[in-house]
Amino acid sequence: MEEEVLGSIFALSGSLKLGVQRKSSKWTLYEQVAIAAMDCQCLDVAKDCIKVLQKKFPEGKRVGRLNGMLLEAKGLWAEAEKASSSLLEDNPLDQVIHKRRIAMAKAQGNISEAIELLNKYLEIFMADHEAWRELAEIYVSLQMYKQAAFCYEELILSQPTVPLYHLAYADVLYTLGGLENLQTAKKYYASTIDLTGGKNTRALFGICLCTSAIAQASKGRNKEDKESPELQSLAVTALEKDYKQRAADKLGLLVH
Amino acid sequence: MVAELKYEISQNAYIKLVLHALKHKTTAVNGVLLGRVNPQNESVVEIIDSAPLFHSNLALLPPLEIALIMIEEHYGSKGLGIVGYFHANERFDDAELGIVAKNIGDHICRYFPQAAVFLLDNKKLAALPKGKDQSPVLQLYIRDASKNWKLAGPDGGSQLVIKEPAANVVLSDYISSEKWQDVVDFDDHLDDIKMDWLNPELFK
């Protein structure tokens, strides 16, 4: 991965030297190369690009952001935080700067601060789906599954046809456990299969796991609540077919 | 377990896990270790192979349950079981054994009480190309009598050795040739079942 990025950096910086003619894209290129260079810890390349941009846009907010990122890349957290705070004073609604502060908290291991900042950010920018996902993943890593579920609920409400959110929600519900959650999880694995034309391996497995877990959880309960077994057998058939076609050596491992 | 246990890990099992961690530098990764108690020596746990698991959402149950079922089914027929758990933290300077690792470790202990948890030692890994250290770039954790996970220190009873002494040399070689790109984990398999989590061609 790193090689590709490095290759792109040098290709991009090459085209910069050749004097790309179109006005706006030249400066955007410098910005992109700077960020890519920081990603690979080529801080000298980044510094050079930022210097060029600084000359052209001495009061620029975007240059200010890049300088902040450079401080982050160097691990100079106190300075980076100061830089982003002052940038925020002038630009209180700049999403990128807000997100850099969250990234900094995360990078330093202040997960609770990252969560707090991210929640505050989402109060303002509640349509930022990536931010909701980020928050959900942080909650999952801390085993705060209820909170993660809430994030996915928001995502499903705003984008009901994105299968990724249905799948993630189902995974979280299954992890939470309990008969009701398992039954809901099964529904969302089913909707994932629906939205992906039956091709999502994780959702197919999810149906199988739910069926077992629900059977376990409802032992001794009213037999009238028994679920119809069709969904389970459909899922199993689909999985077996797929494995037979594409991963036949693993077919025997499908113990369910 | 009070007995002084020794964990002996095979070169391939060791390298596979480290390469997996290197492939996904910006996230936490985990894996399981396969092996058995040495039939000639009860105080030695032989780790013969490893299976890289995930590089995202490590704390979700469904993918983990599926992976463990398939892994146990495959290795069970070879007389091997899950004897340990490997974890690499997301951040370079995070050397703590987190709750997810402890929980999965506890789960494995229910089936294999002498199971150990291995945490990637990022600092040791970074220092690898420079030194001649033959010891693994892993920290060994075992459960004490009160079922708490404790770091096994050099003065402690348990220890971890790599079976092949030149493993770190081989590992450094693989790192320079970016071999990590070839490692397939369970996440990859669940995204595309053609990807083989057994990594049969990795060391050929």
Side-chain angles (χ1 to χ4, degrees), chain B residues 110-171:
Chain B
R110 278 158 60 190
Y111 301 91
F112 186 74
Q114 304 102 309
V117 168
F118 302 87
L119 185 67
L120 183 68
D121 187 328
N122 292 312
K123 301 221 163 73
K124 252 181 148 180
L125 177 59
L128 201 62
K130 305 168 195 148
K132 301 244 190 273
D133 197 347
Q134 290 190 336
S135 63
V137 296
L138 305 171
Q139 289 191 330
L140 172 67
Y141 285 81
I142 34 183
R143 286 214 308 200
D144 63 16
S146 357
K147 303 213 174 156
N148 294 319
W149 289 99
K150 287 279 185 301
L151 179 60
D155 51 323
S158 296
Q159 46 159 336
L160 169 68
V161 295
I162 312 177
K163 193 150 171 246
E164 295 89 335
N168 278 340
V169 176
V170 179
L171 175 59

Side-chain angles (χ1 to χ4, degrees), chain A residues 173-186:
Chain A
L173 287 175
Y174 181 91
T175 308
L176 267 170
L179 185 57
E180 230 183 271
N181 284 333
L182 290 170
Q183 286 167 331
T184 315
K186 192 167 178 178

Side-chain angles (χ1 to χ4, degrees), chain A residues 93-126:
Chain A
L93 288 178
D94 186 311
Q95 292 185 290
V96 177
I97 302 175
H98 275 284
K99 289 201 264 199
R100 292 259 41 98
R101 282 180 70 208
I102 297 165
M104 277 195 274
K106 214 182 161 202
Q108 294 175 79
N110 296 334
I111 306 297
S112 39
E113 194 191 330
I115 292 179
E116 206 189 300
L117 289 172
L118 198 36
N119 271 303
K120 284 209 195 109
Y121 171 87
L122 283 165
E123 278 171 34
I124 311 171
F125 305 104
M126 55 198 78

Side-chain angles (χ1 to χ4, degrees), chain B residues 76-105:
Chain B
S77 59
K78 301 184 186 320
L80 300 177
I82 298 178
V83 299
Y85 170 75
F86 167 80
H87 192 99
N89 285 330
E90 185 178 52
R91 283 174 304 111
F92 179 82
D93 48 9
D94 182 2
E96 214 186 281
L97 190 67
I99 182 126
V100 175
K102 287 183 186 166
N103 283 342
I104 300 180

Side-chain angles (χ1 to χ4, degrees), chain B residues 163-179:
Chain B
K163 193 150 171 246
E164 295 89 335
N168 278 340
V169 176
V170 179
L171 175 59
S172 300
D173 237 7
Y174 280 145
I175 294 176
S176 339
S177 64
E178 300 189 358
K179 188 106 176 131

Side-chain angles (χ1 to χ4, degrees), chain A residues 4 17 24 30 63 99 123 131 151 184 194 200 240 256:
Chain A
E4 289 164 14
K17 286 193 190 110
S24 58
Y30 273 109
V63 184
K99 289 201 264 199
E123 278 171 34
C151 296
T184 315
D194 216 10
N200 192 300
E240 281 177 348
H256 279 297

